[in-house]
Amino acid sequence: MSQIIFEHISKTYGATAALRDLCLEFPDKMTTAVVGTSGSGKSTLLQHINGLVLPSRGVVKVFEEPIDYARLRQLRLRIGYAVQGSGLFPHLTAKQNITLLARLQKWERPRLEARAEELMRLVNLPLDYAPRYPHELSGGEQQRVGLCRAMMLDPPIFLLDEAFGALDPITRGEVHEEFLRLQRAAPRTVVLVTHDVREALKLGDYLVVLSKGELQQAGPCEEVVASPATEFVRQFLRTQLET
Amino acid sequence: MVHPATWLLAPLLLGFFLAAGGTAAGKPIIIGSKQFNESYILGEAMAQVLEARGYRVQRRLGLGGTLICFEALRSREIDLYPEYTGTIEQAILKLPRHATRETLNDKLREAYGLRLLRPFGFNNTYALALPEDLASRLGIAAISDLMRFPNLRMAFSHEFMERQDGWPGLAAAYRLATKPTGIQHGLAYQAIQERTIDVTDVYSTDGDIEKYRLAVLRDDKEFFPQYLAAPFAHLGVDEQVAAVVNELQGKISDAAMRRANAQVLLKGATFAEAAGSLLREIGVAQATRERRDGAFWLTLLLQTVTHLKLTLIALLAAMLVAMPLGVLVYRLQRLSRPIIYAAGLLQTIPSIALLAFMIPFFGIGVKPAIVALSLYALLPILRNTATALFSIDPLLKRVSIGMGMTTWQRLRHIELPLAAPTIMAGIKTAAVINVGTATLAAFIGAGGLGEPIVTGLALNDSAIILRGAIPAALLAVLTEFAFEVLERRLVPRHLLQRLGA
């Protein structure tokens, strides 16, 4: 059974529907890329997984149980979360950002130091960047710190909300490589929301295409590319891959 | 190395301990006065007579106007102060004119538990005055002559403008159509000397009348009521004390009073000296008191210390209330408008009114001043705390929730640190406002740098005013500076919002 399952999820804001009757299983230890035009509901979908958004109808199962909304914190500590523009806290140094959750969880100092160092090496961050504040880092470096922070507690699930969106093409390529290396070294269940189909195909094993809150197609990347299920998917992939 | 901020804080703390010293045991008789010349002298005279008879006396002279003194007497924070029959009749009891002292006392006893002792003798009533040369040039001798000159510039003390026995009644009785402006009584003489105004209200025993060569206009329609000065006491003051003070009954003439007033104004005598020679002149024994005058720097230091104590305690109290309130407002947004509006409302209450309002609850002296000051400090801190929290980047809020931080952890580790620079700015504003407003605390006998300002205004002596005003201004600048140092220490540099940065 998958770690993340959506059963008939609908989400409405007032009269507008953001998601319509979504049924999905996200394959374990693989990267699922969620793509769609802006307003397709892909970010809303992602935020259902860590309980930032509550479904209007349906059930979200994470770690094989329906989400217990009274105990969201325990759930969230086991789900890494990284967002566009890194979302680093400007008053904390790179290292303080990375270790924040571990400190709140009262980790022993040696364990905390070792884990932070391990993560920084993993994403190619020079260790002497640790005392720098976010504004003293480049966009790519900030993004790497953001990834380290999300991975600090070694969560089995990892959510990336346009996490690489704000980077220039070269830096983005580098961060992609690091992401793939991480995933090869210790695969985890990743849900990646992006508006960029190339990025989705490069990083993802599995592809989910949304349009106006409705599921168009879900399946292994090659399969979706080879045989689009709807006219929308065909058009969407073609325009995105041509440019 | 010791950080500069420590050096700034050390004298503050030292001052706090110095100024927090206790009061002597026993129960002295507490004499108050209002903050003008004659009231100070009469307060001193009563004090000296009592001291000569062996009573221990505590002076609380120079309290802000009638309202403050009356409230202080009613709350038995003071035992005696000189008051005028006309003021009691018109401003306190709001009676029809020409009530007898018996009528006044019946009402006072019944309504407030107070009584008026026997009048000192002189009648210090309101009068209108203008420069002698102007009066003779225009041929003005009586108030009714003013009708012919509606273009004369008139400025009256605020109390005179308000009272029925002041301008409103006078204008009606004499059919005067001039539109006067309000002016602080002490400043009116200066204005008249500089010829920025022509006519003002004076008291008939003012020493200034001589000093500024003013002509007092005859009240030809006998409009002004009698203002016989008398000791005003609460019913808890015992008969022996009353008897001692009553020794002064009928002994002080208009001329004697005017001379005593002029002695302070023109010859630079202290209130105590003027009271002493007044008592000598009328043959009532007075205590021989060594008045230590010098010690200018020590006085200044003590006043500064008191001032800082008032400001600092009020600021701390305001922070303790306003910051949690700001967080509450942020958490329960429904409350935000009512709470912030209420704090704003406090800001609009005139300081004298707020101080008077405090007396029944906190007495006079340091306590009510601190409460009032902290009320004024609430709004800047509260508003900045709430605004700072509300304006945190929503993405950062989402991330901190999504990461799995508890509400408290988010507040403690993310939201408050991010809001800190703005909150600090609010505290700084409040501190600087407080340093300025604390000068008003002298109105209710809290001391501080307002003391020389109040005395200086009473004497119309700008040198004395500056003795309080300059240190207070320096203190405000120093406060600003101290907070900048503190900010640099507490807030990461890149989050600082600095002026001109």
Side-chain angles (χ1 to χ4, degrees):
Chain A
M1 198 170 159
S2 304
Q3 280 177 326
I4 310 170
I5 298 173
F6 278 34
E7 292 178 353
H8 300 286
I9 294 300
S10 293
K11 177 67 186 176
T12 51
Y13 292 103
T16 47
L19 295 176
R20 294 171 210 256
D21 197 29
L22 233 58
C23 293
L24 270 174
E25 287 195 21
F26 296 79
D28 283 358
K29 298 196 191 279
M30 285 202 218
T31 302
T32 301
V34 181
V35 295
T37 48
S38 60
S40 61
K42 52 190 191 297
S43 185
T44 307
L45 178 151
L46 189 83
Q47 291 179 49
H48 272 82
I49 300 171
N50 62 1
L52 283 173
V53 174
L54 273 62
S56 305
R57 270 197 307 283
V59 175
V60 181
K61 288 182 178 169
V62 180
F63 300 125
E64 289 159 22
E65 274 172 34
I67 292 180
D68 177 357
Y69 289 96
R71 293 167 50 85
L72 275 176
R73 201 173 90 81
Q74 276 69 18
L75 178 74
R76 285 169 180 161
L77 289 175
R78 300 175 64 200
I79 300 178
Y81 183 45
V83 296
Q84 175 162 28
S86 83
L88 295 182
F89 300 120
H91 63 297
L92 300 177
T93 63
K95 176 131 163 231
Q96 288 170 331
N97 263 289
I98 294 172
T99 58
L100 177 61
L101 275 181
R103 278 184 286 132
L104 295 178
Q105 293 300 102
K106 306 254 185 314
W107 278 26
E108 297 286 335
R109 187 130 214 111
R111 182 185 173 204
L112 185 138
E113 297 285 338
R115 175 66 177 159
E117 202 168 305
E118 179 195 350
L119 287 170
M120 288 178 73
R121 283 187 204 288
L122 214 57
V123 299
N124 276 333
L125 263 180
L127 292 181
D128 57 353
Y129 281 20
R132 296 198 184 176
Y133 284 102
H135 76 286
E136 296 167 318
L137 300 171
S138 72
E141 288 157 357
Q142 289 182 25
Q143 208 62 63
R144 290 182 176 98
V145 173
L147 288 177
C148 289
R149 183 176 67 182
M151 288 186 297
M152 185 69 193
L153 301 186
D154 199 14
I157 294 178
F158 206 35
L159 307 180
L160 298 173
D161 194 348
E162 300 272 10
F164 312 118
L167 301 181
D168 64 83
I170 295 172
T171 316
R172 185 189 265 223
E174 287 170 17
V175 180
H176 283 167
E177 291 309 320
E178 269 143 27
F179 173 80
L180 288 171
R181 205 172 57 238
L182 285 174
Q183 197 55 0
R184 274 196 297 274
R188 62 191 88 213
T189 307
V190 177
V191 180
L192 166 86
V193 162
T194 176
H195 62 275
D196 178 353
V197 174
R198 284 171 205 276
E199 181 175 83
L201 294 177
K202 183 172 174 192
L203 302 182
D205 307 301
Y206 204 76
L207 196 65
V208 171
V209 186
L210 286 183
S211 171
K212 294 176 185 160
E214 280 181 75
L215 180 64
Q216 297 293 320
Q217 191 170 8
C221 288
E222 316 79 59
E223 201 181 299
V224 176
V225 174
S227 48
T230 66
E231 185 54 30
F232 174 83
V233 178
R234 190 194 319 282
Q235 285 288 334
F236 181 69
L237 293 181
R238 208 177 64 205
T239 48
Q240 283 264 326
L241 292 174
E242 270 171 7
T243 49
Chain B
M1 207 199 93
V2 181
H3 194 276
T6 321
W7 293 112
L8 284 166
L9 281 175
L12 299 190
L13 291 174
L14 178 72
F16 179 71
F17 290 119
L18 276 178
T23 53
K27 203 165 165 285
I29 296 158
I30 306 171
I31 312 274
S33 85
K34 301 189 194 177
Q35 32 145 351
F36 58 86
N37 221 15
E38 186 168 290
S39 196
Y40 276 108
I41 294 172
L42 290 172
E44 261 299 333
M46 291 195 287
Q48 289 183 18
V49 170
L50 283 164
E51 279 170 338
R53 298 287 180 273
Y55 288 94
R56 222 152 53 72
V57 170
Q58 193 186 331
R59 291 167 173 77
R60 279 298 181 76
L61 307 182
L63 302 174
T66 303
L67 184 60
I68 302 272
C69 283
F70 176 70
E71 284 296 337
L73 190 67
R74 204 147 75 95
S75 324
R76 302 200 171 181
E77 288 290 325
I78 56 176
D79 297 314
L80 283 165
Y81 82 90
E83 189 50 283
Y84 299 86
T85 51
T87 306
I88 292 173
E89 181 186 277
Q90 303 283 323
I92 296 174
L93 297 176
K94 302 188 170 60
L95 290 178
R97 308 233 335 232
H98 310 305
T100 62
R101 194 163 67 90
E102 284 66 37
T103 319
L104 294 183
N105 266 333
D106 286 347
K107 299 269 181 198
L108 286 171
R109 188 176 300 116
E110 209 176 293
Y112 304 112
L114 303 177
R115 65 172 171 157
L116 194 64
L117 304 180
R118 308 232 171 97
F120 298 118
F122 65 88
N123 177 22
N124 180 3
T125 190
Y126 277 124
L128 298 192
L130 72 172
E132 273 173 6
D133 53 347
L134 185 66
S136 59
R137 197 172 72 234
L138 300 179
I140 299 176
I143 297 177
S144 49
D145 295 336
L146 290 176
M147 278 173 69
R148 292 184 283 121
F149 303 99
N151 289 331
L152 286 174
R153 293 161 301 173
M154 299 189 185
F156 300 126
S157 65
H158 299 286
E159 195 172 346
F160 186 77
M161 297 272 279
E162 288 301 313
R163 295 161 57 132
Q164 257 317 300
D165 61 347
W167 175 252
L170 185 77
Y174 283 95
R175 298 189 192 176
L176 299 175
T178 314
K179 286 267 171 285
T181 50
I183 191 167
Q184 217 279 341
H185 185 63
L187 299 176
Y189 292 113
Q190 190 135 16
I192 217 164
Q193 189 183 30
E194 288 161 5
R195 293 296 157 90
T196 49
I197 61 171
D198 301 313
V199 181
T200 189
D201 59 310
V202 297
Y203 301 107
S204 48
T205 54
D206 265 0
D208 291 294
I209 293 170
E210 252 172 90
K211 179 176 172 184
Y212 292 100
R213 300 184 169 283
L214 301 184
V216 176
L217 299 182
R218 195 156 39 76
D219 179 14
D220 49 338
K221 292 191 179 167
E222 292 187 350
F223 169 77
F224 289 119
Q226 283 205 315
Y227 280 80
L228 300 172
F232 198 15
H234 61 75
L235 294 178
V237 172
D238 69 38
E239 282 309 320
Q240 285 163 315
V241 172
V244 171
V245 177
N246 277 338
E247 282 179 41
L248 295 169
Q249 182 193 1
K251 296 226 169 86
I252 307 175
S253 64
D254 282 20
M257 194 65 238
R258 202 178 297 164
R259 273 196 299 280
N261 285 334
Q263 207 184 343
V264 173
L265 280 172
L266 305 180
K267 299 190 182 129
T270 63
F271 298 126
E273 286 163 358
S277 52
L278 177 65
L279 290 178
R280 254 194 313 281
E281 185 186 327
I282 62 175
V284 174
Q286 94 276 20
T288 43
R289 277 171 56 92
E290 263 313 299
R291 285 301 292 186
R292 53 203 187 285
D293 202 32
F296 169 77
W297 291 106
L298 181 67
T299 312
L300 181 65
L301 179 72
L302 289 178
Q303 282 166 343
T304 309
V305 161
T306 308
H307 202 87
L308 280 174
K309 189 181 85 169
L310 290 173
T311 310
L312 217 65
I313 297 178
L315 190 68
L316 284 177
M319 281 165 64
L320 286 180
V321 175
M323 284 164 60
L325 213 56
V327 172
L328 189 76
V329 159
Y330 169 59
R331 287 262 161 256
L332 303 170
Q333 305 196 3
R334 246 174 322 123
L335 293 180
S336 75
R337 273 173 201 286
I339 290 183
I340 289 182
Y341 284 170
L345 204 67
L346 281 176
Q347 214 75 18
T348 65
I349 302 176
S351 32
I352 291 288
L354 188 61
L355 289 172
F357 180 71
M358 294 287 145
I359 293 174
F361 304 101
F362 304 104
I364 58 172
V366 174
K367 238 187 291 172
I370 287 175
V371 175
L373 284 176
S374 54
L375 288 179
Y376 281 124
L378 280 184
L379 183 68
I381 303 178
L382 171 63
R383 187 188 286 279
N384 277 36
T385 305
T387 308
L389 289 171
F390 278 127
S391 53
I392 291 172
D393 183 352
L395 178 74
L396 294 183
K397 288 188 198 175
R398 176 149 64 87
V399 169
S400 61
I401 298 171
M403 283 171 78
M405 295 175 78
T406 61
T407 308
W408 171 249
Q409 287 171 342
R410 286 189 336 250
L411 192 66
R412 159 85 181 71
H413 295 279
I414 308 299
E415 292 162 348
L416 283 180
L418 285 175
T422 311
I423 297 178
M424 282 288 279
I427 296 173
K428 180 162 63 176
T429 308
V432 175
I433 291 177
N434 262 8
V435 168
T437 315
T439 52
L440 295 172
F443 284 138
I444 47 172
L449 292 168
E451 218 163 69
I453 298 179
V454 166
T455 313
L457 282 174
L459 294 176
N460 192 20
D461 182 335
S462 39
I464 298 181
I465 295 177
L466 289 179
R467 252 183 243 171
I470 291 176
L474 286 177
L475 219 54
V477 174
L478 208 68
T479 307
E480 181 95 29
F481 173 73
F483 268 93
E484 267 168 32
V485 172
L486 213 64
E487 271 176 347
R488 232 167 283 164
R489 213 175 147 72
L490 295 178
V491 181
R493 187 179 294 270
H494 62 281
L495 296 178
L496 268 183
Q497 313 167 328
R498 249 173 317 165
L499 287 175

